[in-house]
């Protein structure tokens, strides 16, 4: 019941997100065809009808209703615009419910479904690899630093984590390219053609998240290691490794697991900076370009995918909580 209830909650969440995104992109200054070469009014009206952006029925109904209320001409115009937007939103939601995200307003003759089908697997592969690297490195480094508290290894680990957090991807990426591509000549500069071209994008994307996880893991591990049941385990003669693996790690990793929900959704849907630096054909660049171009349908498609992943990943995190800590029950 818990999982079913959470899945049902996904519906109002998605409806709210789609509605807010649609209205924000439609009421912003400028239209989707403003950057095109000046076109005749008849052609523009035909384009608006083609993309179902005219909303004539809703506008006419709203104006008629405003006239019956005796409102001023200015108020009637405002009502007409609002009715048109509501009509457009209703048509769009009906298409989305059928799995049709419509044609892109910028990339003509390409549907949003086609763009997502081509770009999302690339971003998902890049994000999955980065997530594995970040999780393994961060958890290992954080646990090791906690076991060596106040020693040189602890200070060095946290210093490395601080540097990795402080350096943004647009700085880390060119540095890695300079070292591994131009000086050592071990790896290709960019692209997404084979495992060798994947290494630097994955590292660039994973490094700051690994640093976050390491700091989070260190703090959580220190708290767990100070608990009475850990002292009892040590008093029974268990080695340090046995105490950590059998008793401490499973509880200490819970805060890190909660961080994985939004992190996974963020990584799987692409990073515009990393994808641009390494010329990776992922969905991150489409997301940013859809905002700049006023491409409401492409932006809506990417947003729906992102929100769905975010909700599902948070649900998975809640389930993992119950698996890792038997004191937690799903209700």
């Amino acid at each position: 019941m818990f999982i079913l209830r959470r899945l049902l909650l996904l519906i109002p969440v998605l409806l709210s997100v789609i509605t807010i995104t649609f209205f924000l992109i439609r009421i912003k200054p400028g239209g989707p065809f403003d950057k095109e070469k000046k076109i005749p009014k008849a052609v523009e009206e035909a384009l608006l009808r083609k993309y179902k952006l005219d909303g004539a029925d809703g506008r006419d109904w709203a104006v008629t209703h405003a006239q019956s209320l005796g409102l001023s001409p200015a108020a009637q115009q405002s009502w007409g615009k609002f009715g048109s937007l509501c009509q457009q939103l209703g048509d769009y939601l009906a298409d989305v419910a059928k799995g049709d995200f419509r044609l892109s307003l910028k990339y003509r003759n390409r549907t949003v479904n086609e763009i997502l089908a081509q770009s999302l697997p690339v971003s998902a592969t890049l994000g999955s690899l980065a997530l594995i690297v970040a999780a393994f490195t961060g958890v290992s480094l954080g646990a090791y630093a906690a076991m060596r508290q106040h020693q040189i290894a602890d200070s060095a680990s946290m210093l490395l984590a601080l540097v990795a957090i402080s350096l943004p991807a647009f700085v880390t990426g060119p540095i890695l390219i300079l070292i591994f591509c131009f000086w050592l000549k071990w790896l290709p500069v960019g692209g997404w053609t084979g495992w060798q071209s994947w290494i630097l994008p994955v590292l660039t994307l994973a490094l700051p998240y690994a640093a976050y996880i390491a700091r989070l893991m260190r703090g959580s591990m220190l708290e767990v290691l100070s608990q009475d049941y850990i002292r009892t385990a040590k008093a029974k003669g268990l080695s340090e490794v046995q105490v950590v693996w059998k008793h401490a790690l499973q509880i200490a990793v819970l805060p890190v697991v909660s961080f994985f929900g939004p992190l996974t959704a963020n990584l799987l849907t692409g990073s515009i900076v990393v994808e641009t630096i390494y010329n990776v054909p992922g969905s991150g660049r489409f997301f940013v370009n859809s905002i700049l171009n006023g491409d409401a349908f492409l932006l809506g498609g990417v947003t729906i995918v992102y929100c769905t992943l975010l909700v599902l990943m948070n649900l998975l995190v809640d389930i993992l909580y119950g698996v890792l800590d038997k004191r937690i029950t799903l209700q």
Side-chain angles (χ1 to χ4, degrees):
M1 284 300 296
F2 171 79
I3 296 175
L4 179 61
R5 189 167 64 247
R6 290 288 298 272
L7 290 176
L8 290 176
L9 281 175
L10 179 62
I11 298 175
V13 170
L14 285 179
L15 283 175
S16 302
V17 170
I18 294 172
T19 302
I20 294 172
T21 305
F22 186 86
F23 274 107
L24 286 178
I25 198 72
R26 294 293 292 137
I27 64 176
K28 82 175 185 63
F33 309 118
D34 288 354
K35 294 181 180 179
E36 306 291 337
K37 184 180 177 181
K38 187 64 178 177
I39 54 178
K41 187 173 178 60
V43 176
E44 182 176 345
E45 290 176 353
L47 285 173
L48 291 176
R49 280 196 302 274
K50 174 184 177 183
Y51 292 101
K52 301 181 182 179
L53 292 176
D54 55 350
D57 295 339
R59 181 178 60 247
D60 295 342
W61 176 87
V63 170
T64 303
H65 187 63
Q67 288 173 344
S68 66
L69 294 175
L71 299 180
S72 65
Q76 293 176 20
Q77 188 176 4
S78 300
W79 274 60
K81 186 175 181 180
F82 180 71
S84 175
L85 287 175
C86 290
Q87 178 71 41
Q88 294 170 37
L89 176 63
D91 293 340
Y92 179 61
L93 288 175
D95 288 342
V96 169
K98 293 183 285 188
D100 179 12
F101 292 157
R102 293 189 175 178
L103 285 169
S104 167
L105 298 176
K106 178 64 178 177
Y107 306 96
R108 302 289 174 80
N109 300 322
R110 292 186 68 188
T111 66
V112 174
N113 297 58
E114 291 173 350
I115 294 174
L116 293 177
Q118 291 176 359
S119 60
L120 270 179
V122 176
S123 293
T125 304
L126 173 62
S128 300
L129 294 173
L131 182 64
I132 293 172
V133 172
F136 179 77
T137 307
V139 171
S140 303
L141 192 64
Y144 180 76
M147 293 165 61
R148 300 289 182 272
Q149 188 183 17
H150 302 315
Q151 297 181 16
I152 295 178
D154 179 25
S155 304
S157 301
M158 290 302 100
L159 180 62
L160 283 175
L162 183 62
V163 172
I165 293 174
S166 304
L167 287 177
F170 61 83
V171 175
T172 307
I175 291 175
L176 292 177
I177 290 175
L178 185 66
I179 296 174
F180 292 100
C181 302
F182 293 107
W183 289 354
L184 300 176
K185 300 184 184 302
W186 289 352
L187 298 171
V189 176
W192 193 250
T193 55
W195 67 270
Q196 290 178 320
S197 63
W198 299 1
I199 295 176
L200 292 185
V202 169
L203 282 180
T204 305
L205 191 59
L207 278 177
Y209 295 113
Y212 278 118
I213 293 174
R215 293 176 67 85
L216 197 61
M217 186 68 193
R218 178 183 179 275
S220 178
M221 180 65 88
L222 286 176
E223 185 178 349
V224 172
L225 290 177
S226 65
Q227 299 294 317
D228 291 338
Y229 74 95
I230 296 295
R231 297 193 191 95
T232 303
K234 290 180 179 177
K236 288 181 178 178
L238 295 179
S239 66
E240 186 180 43
V241 174
Q242 288 176 315
V243 170
V244 169
W245 277 102
K246 290 186 177 180
H247 299 284
L249 191 60
Q250 191 170 347
I251 302 300
V253 81
L254 289 177
V256 178
V257 171
S258 66
F259 181 60
F260 278 171
L263 172 63
T264 304
N266 192 32
L267 287 177
L268 294 185
T269 48
S271 166
I272 176 63
V273 176
V274 174
E275 291 177 3
T276 302
I277 291 174
Y278 295 102
N279 194 28
V280 176
S283 60
R285 67 175 64 186
F286 287 111
F287 181 69
V288 175
N289 289 337
S290 65
I291 300 173
L292 299 176
N293 296 324
D295 195 339
F297 304 145
L298 182 54
L299 176 62
V302 178
T303 304
I304 291 169
V305 172
Y306 178 83
C307 290
T308 305
L309 277 175
L310 188 62
V311 173
L312 293 179
M313 288 302 108
N314 281 324
L315 173 60
L316 181 61
V317 166
D318 290 341
I319 296 173
L320 283 177
Y321 255 79
V323 174
L324 293 173
D325 191 346
K326 301 303 180 186
R327 298 170 299 178
I328 300 175
T329 56
L330 300 178
Q331 294 181 351

